[in-house]
Amino acid sequence: GVLGKLAAEKGGVGFTPRRSALLALGVSPSDAELAVLKDQAKDVNAPVRAAAVLAVGISGKDRGLVLAHADAKTERDSMVRAYAILALGIHPDPALARTLAAIVEKDTDESVRGAAAIALGRVGGKEAVDALSALMRNRNYPVLSCYAAIGLGLTRQPDALPVLVEGFASKQVNILTASAVGGALLGREEGAKPLEEALANKNHPILREYAAVALGKLSPPGASARLA
């Protein structure tokens, strides 16, 4: 089809529409289209390569290829690695928790670690909460603390809540906001009290906004009564 032909193009000209075609093919590729995606995962253009790897991840049909591009030993471009790691979180597998936790803890590239934090959050479980909690509490990397907060929310684990509540008291607005977003994603009834307190904090309107969203996600009628 037209998408397949566009996705199969070579060279640097017009690579933006080619990336869009690659991503579209990833939704439900035929065997021939999957072959195109795998071929484009070798492209010299990193943005094209990244889109192809993400598309393969979306398809869920070749985790080995995605893992290879997530590994610094086989893929040098950090953007491609970040896309590959995000792709691993699309179809969460608990077996990947240790691999992703190691990237979160030790990788030298911030964008890659941030992507791993999101993917690890989608995988969930104790190992994810432990790794993301440690990252969020490390204030040497404020941007990564934000990714960790969002990842903690994605775990939907009760043990993530106390760490997110710590973030509500942060003096750094970005961490405070990310913690509120994490609380909204967590959507746990146990978080009602700290979220109510955040909602009453008139010094931080962004925190109040996300606290309201988080409370709205809790099961009614309790949530509606809190917001009244």
Side-chain angles (χ1 to χ4, degrees):
V2 175
L3 280 178
K5 289 179 181 178
L6 181 57
E9 287 183 0
K10 297 290 184 181
V13 178
F15 70 83
T16 299
R18 179 155 46 119
R19 289 173 65 194
S20 300
L22 288 166
L23 291 171
L25 286 183
V27 176
S28 184
S30 64
D31 289 345
E33 289 168 340
L34 183 62
V36 169
L37 294 177
K38 290 181 178 181
D39 181 58
Q40 295 287 41
K42 305 171 189 173
D43 197 90
V44 294
N45 287 301
V48 171
R49 200 159 67 249
V53 171
L54 179 56
V56 172
I58 292 169
S59 76
K61 292 188 175 182
D62 192 336
R63 178 167 288 171
L65 181 146
V66 180
L67 280 167
H69 284 278
D71 191 337
K73 294 177 183 176
T74 50
E75 175 59 67
R76 294 184 178 182
D77 189 273
S78 60
M79 180 182 68
V80 179
R81 291 188 62 216
Y83 271 56
I85 289 165
L86 287 172
L88 292 174
I90 293 173
H91 302 285
D93 181 353
L96 293 173
R98 184 165 297 179
T99 298
L100 291 170
I103 295 172
V104 164
E105 293 166 1
K106 300 175 183 177
D107 203 90
T108 58
D109 189 281
E110 239 183 58
S111 63
V112 169
R113 292 177 75 187
I118 300 300
L120 184 58
R122 289 182 58 82
V123 169
K126 183 180 185 305
E127 196 161 10
V129 173
D130 289 348
L132 293 170
S133 296
L135 181 61
M136 185 174 169
R137 285 170 168 154
N138 186 343
R139 295 296 189 258
N140 293 325
Y141 302 98
V143 173
L144 290 177
S145 291
C146 295
Y147 279 111
I150 294 169
L152 283 168
L154 289 169
T155 67
R156 300 186 66 82
Q157 300 292 309
D159 291 347
L161 180 62
V163 188
L164 290 170
V165 172
E166 289 174 21
F168 291 173
S170 175
K171 293 181 180 179
Q172 297 187 51
V173 176
N174 55 349
I175 293 176
L176 184 149
T177 304
S179 299
V181 173
L185 291 168
L186 197 65
R188 297 195 65 90
E189 186 69 29
E190 304 96 303
K193 189 173 186 300
L195 286 168
E196 287 170 2
E197 292 172 355
L199 187 62
N201 187 339
K202 296 182 179 180
N203 294 322
H204 295 288
I206 296 176
L207 174 62
R208 297 185 73 199
E209 179 182 345
Y210 282 106
V213 172
L215 285 168
K217 292 186 67 173
L218 300 181
S219 56
S224 57
R226 294 183 188 102
L227 293 171

